[in-house]
Amino acid sequence: MVPGQKNIILRYTLIMFIMALLAIAIIAKAAIIMFAERQYWKDVADRFIKENVIVHPTRGNIISADGKLMASSLPEYKIYMDFKAGGETKDTMLMNHLTEICEGLHQIFPDKSAKEFRQHILKGRRQKSRNYLLYPRRISYIEYKEAKKLPVFNLSKFKGGFHELAFNQRKKPFGSLAARTLGDMYPDVTLGAKNGIELTYDSILKGQDGITHRQKVMNKYLNIIDKPAVDGCDIITTIDVDMQDIAEKALVDQLKNLEAVFGVAIVMDVATGEVKANVNMTRAGDGNYYEMRNIAVSNLMEPGSTFKTASIMVALEDKFITPDYMVDTGNGVVNMHGSNMKDWNWYKGGYGKIDVTRIMEVSSNVGVSSIIDKFYGDNPQKFIDGLKRMSIDKPLNLGFVGEASPRILGPKERYFAKTSLPWMSIGYETMIPPIYMLNFYNAIANNGVMVKPKFVKAIAKDGEIIQEFPTEIVNPKICSDTTLTMIQGILRKVVSQGLAKPAGSKQFSVSGKTGTAQVSQGKAGYKAGGVSYLVSFCGYFPSEAPKYSCMVSIQIPHGPASGGLQAGSVFSRIAERIYAKHLYQDLASAKDSTSIIIPEVKNGDLREASYVLQNLNIQSNSSSIPKSSTPIWGKANCTTTYAELKRTNTEKNLVPNVRGMGAKDAVYLLESKGLRVRLSGTGKVIRQSLNAGSYLHKGQTITLTLN
């Protein structure tokens, strides 16, 4: 061995041994980090960076046809306190500012006194709670921001302890109005919609989720956006809030009088098919009526005598009859293939020999069934084909969950007894949702053009229309012009001279048909557990130039039953109030050439006063009021010849002067400043409990006296 070689080998071996030990130590440490200390280091990492945090977008609004907000997503909060956060420094600050904090909370939440808040906070402090609920109910965003301004609460949650839990809630400003048409959301709105327009247009309303990651930079946490959330679009419906309200009130009043099981009222625009009102009320266990199901589109019902119109139209179209075709209805009872067909007045001796027009006026079962059995008894399929030619059974695919389609089945689809045809002709042995029946009458009003009922007219984004839904034609001509003219004349006489007189009006003419049907209990028959009835009226108005069609259906658990009296009277109230809503008259016709009429103008939003004055051609300075998307507050000084509008300033922190305003403007202005409003009386404001110009404190209650 070469001298010195032994020393080199020793040194080399030592180095290799040390390196092996280091490698083993590194591997061992890595193993400890990966397994034994994995959760610790993961928690450390999470404090600095958190990947793929989902950011939920704001759900779009649902807006009425007249521009009113019907459903919107609004944040709500529950507020908590961590009494251990911030240590002794925070605790000292809390006790030093406790009186100020409790007074502030009382101003924001007047239902609890400052003393109650003090006792409540001290209780949480004694418990040293880390998640102590400060206020029992959810609060609005405005209330949350006010609370966040209070001492200690304005610090970060790690220093002050004040923190919140956010909820994104779906709110309906008009309460239950059109609730079933609009639809419901799950309590956790991120789970989506249950039904109605909310579900049908869920993909449009909900928007798209965004993604962020949270990273700690220089002792501060930053939310870094990887993919921005895209807020949902707004849905503009065809529902008119005023018409919906008119229809609901008229229907519910009658339902209460009749102690009815349920009721439906639908109003459609004849030319466009836009559904202006859709009311679906069901009696609950407490005796009150609520929108539980969209009965108009989901319930299959035997339509009763409203179906006679379709039966007579088939015979008119096939040229078997004319309006003056005579039928001997005898004493009101006729044997139809072994079963008795009866008119409602059979016990009075019936109607005898009457023509088709009169048959429809008095809704004669014997008259209609005799015609259909005579001309179609040997070939029932020809009658069924005639009905289908008018598209009365064609699925409309409205998009609602649970939507039903008509069942009008002929010899090709089911067993067809000899009695099936006559009973089908008067509205039995067929099942049709109310909106389909209305759509058929709407086509008669629309010169034979059947359009698809429409619940949504447009999609909007940031106030701009991005998609409109045009009127869809289901059938361009349900019958010939001759048949259409004849049936329109008959339906008008049904109201003016027949059993449907209660559906008419002294102000305008109405056309339509009543319906009264016993309700089938399925296999149990029609009389199991007592007889219940479906009374209805379906028609349109004004007869000369139809603008709206409407159907009212009510199920009552007892007799006597009358479609004209019980459903037709509801139709009349709805039609007259809608007609009055759209009644415009020239002011010139109400004054002579020497009259000078300047109406009394209430104080308030000058934009509305300006609009009215200009449209009535009243001398004023209304043109000086600029167009604006926000209210322009002011007052009006009126003389016998001129109306002067003057703008007034409303200071942010002062109670405004609302004397002379109507209730709507006064409440809007005061609530926008954070005050709670109580009203007494009607008319315009003559007194306010908080003096104008005094400093306001949000959450205060102000009482307005109107006269």
Side-chain angles (χ1 to χ4, degrees):
M1 180 178 291
V2 178
Q5 187 177 8
K6 184 177 181 179
N7 291 336
I8 294 172
I9 292 173
L10 286 173
R11 285 198 297 269
Y12 178 77
T13 302
L14 181 62
I15 292 170
M16 291 299 293
F17 178 73
I18 293 172
M19 291 180 66
L21 288 176
L22 287 173
I24 291 170
I26 292 170
I27 292 171
K29 185 62 177 176
I32 292 170
I33 292 172
M34 289 176 65
F35 299 103
E37 298 178 354
R38 179 178 181 180
Q39 188 59 46
Y40 170 80
W41 290 110
K42 187 175 182 299
D43 292 341
V44 171
D46 285 343
R47 291 203 300 268
F48 288 88
I49 185 166
K50 192 172 184 180
E51 300 285 356
N52 298 334
V53 179
I54 300 296
V55 179
H56 295 293
T58 300
R59 190 174 179 86
N61 300 318
I62 299 179
I63 302 168
S64 70
D66 45 342
K68 296 172 182 174
L69 193 63
M70 301 193 77
S72 182
S73 293
L74 298 173
E76 289 184 340
Y77 302 86
K78 278 195 169 184
I79 51 175
Y80 299 86
M81 192 67 181
D82 178 358
F83 288 97
K84 287 190 175 181
E88 292 185 8
T89 302
K90 189 285 298 286
D91 190 62
T92 302
M93 290 176 61
L94 178 66
M95 296 308 296
N96 289 341
H97 293 281
L98 187 57
T99 300
E100 187 180 350
I101 291 171
C102 294
E103 288 290 344
L105 288 172
H106 168 63
Q107 293 294 330
I108 301 168
F109 312 111
D111 57 315
K112 293 191 70 172
S113 67
K115 182 179 178 181
E116 288 174 316
F117 275 115
R118 183 182 183 89
Q119 292 172 345
H120 185 63
I121 291 173
L122 289 175
K123 179 181 177 182
R125 179 173 176 266
R126 286 193 299 272
Q127 295 174 355
K128 297 181 180 180
S129 173
R130 305 218 66 167
N131 200 43
Y132 191 71
L133 185 63
L134 292 173
Y135 187 67
R137 292 190 291 275
R138 293 181 183 180
I139 65 175
S140 69
Y141 176 74
I142 294 175
E143 290 170 326
Y144 164 72
K145 295 299 287 185
E146 289 299 311
K148 197 77 175 70
K149 294 177 182 178
L150 296 175
V152 182
F153 291 6
N154 57 6
L155 302 175
S156 73
K157 66 179 181 180
F158 302 108
K159 292 182 179 180
F162 180 81
H163 58 281
E164 76 289 337
L165 181 61
F167 301 86
N168 196 11
Q169 291 297 299
R170 199 69 168 163
K171 295 292 185 181
K172 296 176 181 175
F174 292 97
S176 63
L177 202 69
R180 197 49 58 229
T181 304
L182 299 177
D184 294 313
M185 302 291 296
Y186 287 100
D188 181 357
V189 296
T190 59
L191 296 178
K194 292 182 179 179
N195 45 44
I197 289 174
E198 293 276 20
L199 180 58
T200 303
Y201 294 90
D202 184 56
S203 61
I204 295 170
L205 287 163
K206 70 180 182 182
Q208 298 176 17
D209 289 339
I211 298 175
T212 68
H213 69 268
R214 190 165 175 260
Q215 187 168 336
K216 190 172 185 180
V217 179
M218 294 179 66
N219 250 1
K220 292 184 179 179
Y221 286 99
L222 300 178
N223 286 321
I224 300 173
I225 298 173
D226 301 311
K227 176 186 173 185
V230 179
D231 291 341
C233 295
D234 297 335
I235 296 294
I236 302 175
T237 71
T238 61
I239 298 294
D240 183 294
V241 170
D242 291 337
M243 291 191 197
Q244 181 79 21
D245 189 46
I246 288 169
E248 182 174 310
K249 286 179 179 176
L251 179 65
V252 170
D253 286 346
Q254 185 70 307
L255 295 180
K256 290 179 178 178
N257 290 336
L258 299 172
E259 296 182 348
V261 179
F262 68 77
V264 177
I266 320 166
V267 180
M268 275 177 61
D269 184 282
V270 168
T272 66
E274 292 183 358
V275 177
K276 295 298 181 182
N278 181 30
V279 184
N280 303 271
M281 290 293 177
T282 302
R283 184 183 175 92
D286 61 2
N288 294 316
Y289 291 87
Y290 305 96
E291 289 223 340
M292 300 181 184
R293 297 180 62 231
N294 196 347
I295 301 170
V297 302
S298 64
N299 270 35
L300 283 166
M301 307 175 183
E302 290 182 313
S305 296
T306 55
F307 194 77
K308 290 174 181 174
T309 301
S311 298
I312 292 299
M313 283 182 67
V314 172
L316 289 170
E317 186 73 357
D318 288 338
K319 297 183 171 55
F320 289 133
I321 62 172
T322 59
D324 56 3
Y325 178 85
M326 302 298 294
V327 177
D328 188 359
T329 64
N331 63 358
V333 182
V334 64
N335 186 279
M336 287 279 182
H337 308 289
S339 297
N340 284 335
M341 177 71 72
K342 293 182 178 181
D343 279 338
W344 72 272
N345 74 332
W346 64 273
Y347 60 92
K348 295 181 179 180
Y351 291 108
K353 198 170 184 179
I354 54 179
D355 64 18
V356 169
T357 299
R358 188 62 182 163
I359 287 171
M360 292 291 282
E361 288 174 1
V362 299
S363 197
S364 170
N365 293 334
V366 173
V368 174
S369 61
S370 295
I371 290 171
I372 300 305
D373 190 62
K374 177 179 179 180
F375 294 110
Y376 299 95
D378 295 333
N379 187 7
Q381 190 62 44
K382 182 177 176 65
F383 176 71
I384 301 297
D385 291 342
L387 292 172
K388 294 186 176 183
R389 191 169 56 235
M390 295 187 295
S391 300
I392 194 171
D393 69 324
K394 188 173 182 178
L396 296 172
N397 299 317
L398 301 174
F400 291 103
V401 171
E403 177 185 345
S405 295
R407 295 178 188 171
I408 303 175
L409 307 178
K412 293 181 180 180
E413 295 95 355
R414 67 178 176 100
Y415 170 71
F416 214 76
K418 279 289 186 180
T419 55
S420 294
L421 185 64
W423 262 263
M424 177 183 279
S425 70
I426 63 170
Y428 291 95
E429 298 198 24
T430 60
M431 302 294 282
I432 303 178
I435 199 162
Y436 280 78
M437 207 68 236
L438 174 61
N439 202 43
F440 172 67
Y441 277 80
N442 193 81
I444 296 172
N446 197 27
N447 293 319
V449 181
M450 181 179 283
V451 296
K452 180 178 176 178
K454 185 165 59 171
F455 288 84
V456 170
K457 60 193 304 184
I459 299 172
K461 183 76 171 178
D462 300 325
E464 298 290 330
I465 301 295
I466 60 175
Q467 182 182 351
E468 292 188 85
F469 295 96
T471 298
E472 295 183 41
I473 295 177
V474 177
N475 189 336
K477 205 71 175 174
I478 64 169
C479 64
S480 65
D481 289 337
T482 302
T483 298
L484 189 66
T485 301
M486 289 189 289
I487 201 67
Q488 286 174 340
I490 290 171
L491 293 178
R492 184 167 181 175
K493 288 186 176 180
V494 169
V495 178
S496 62
Q497 301 177 27
L499 296 179
K501 282 183 180 178
S505 172
K506 294 180 180 179
Q507 280 70 44
F508 51 89
S509 57
V510 172
S511 299
K513 181 71 183 72
T514 59
T516 305
Q518 293 184 18
V519 177
S520 172
Q521 308 298 323
K523 292 182 179 180
Y526 288 89
K527 298 184 179 181
V531 180
S532 61
Y533 297 88
L534 184 70
V535 295
S536 54
F537 180 86
C538 196
Y540 52 87
F541 62 95
S543 298
E544 302 85 357
K547 176 63 177 171
Y548 297 107
S549 60
C550 176
M551 183 173 190
V552 176
S553 289
I554 302 172
Q555 183 175 327
I556 55 177
H558 52 72
S562 168
L565 188 61
Q566 293 165 329
S569 58
V570 177
F571 178 100
S572 178
R573 288 197 291 273
I574 293 172
E576 286 190 333
R577 291 167 188 175
I578 289 176
Y579 187 80
K581 181 178 182 290
H582 294 87
L583 181 63
Y584 300 100
Q585 293 184 345
D586 187 358
L587 184 64
S589 64
K591 61 180 181 178
D592 59 39
S593 58
T594 61
S595 298
I596 300 175
I597 301 177
I598 301 295
E600 181 182 359
V601 181
K602 292 178 181 177
N603 300 340
D605 188 354
L606 297 184
R607 300 173 307 164
E608 297 180 353
S610 171
Y611 176 82
V612 173
L613 291 171
Q614 288 187 57
N615 278 272
L616 293 178
N617 294 320
I618 292 174
Q619 292 293 318
S620 67
N621 67 330
S622 55
S623 59
S624 66
I625 304 301
K627 292 184 178 180
S628 172
S629 59
T630 56
I632 300 174
W633 302 108
K635 60 182 182 178
N637 295 324
C638 298
T639 66
T640 56
T641 59
Y642 193 80
E644 184 181 11
L645 305 179
K646 289 185 176 181
R647 297 180 64 168
T648 56
N649 294 322
T650 56
E651 296 293 332
K652 182 178 179 181
N653 298 319
L654 302 181
V655 176
N657 183 3
V658 297
R659 287 190 292 272
M661 292 187 184
K664 183 185 75 169
D665 282 347
V667 171
Y668 179 93
L669 176 57
L670 293 170
E671 288 190 344
S672 69
K673 290 183 173 293
L675 296 173
R676 300 173 187 266
V677 183
R678 290 179 182 170
L679 299 176
S680 174
T682 58
K684 65 181 181 181
V685 179
I686 58 173
R687 282 192 298 275
Q688 59 186 80
S689 61
L690 299 180
N691 292 328
S694 60
Y695 284 101
L696 64 81
H697 301 280
K698 293 187 178 181
Q700 280 183 295
T701 298
I702 181 171
T703 301
L704 305 182
T705 304
L706 294 86
N707 192 16

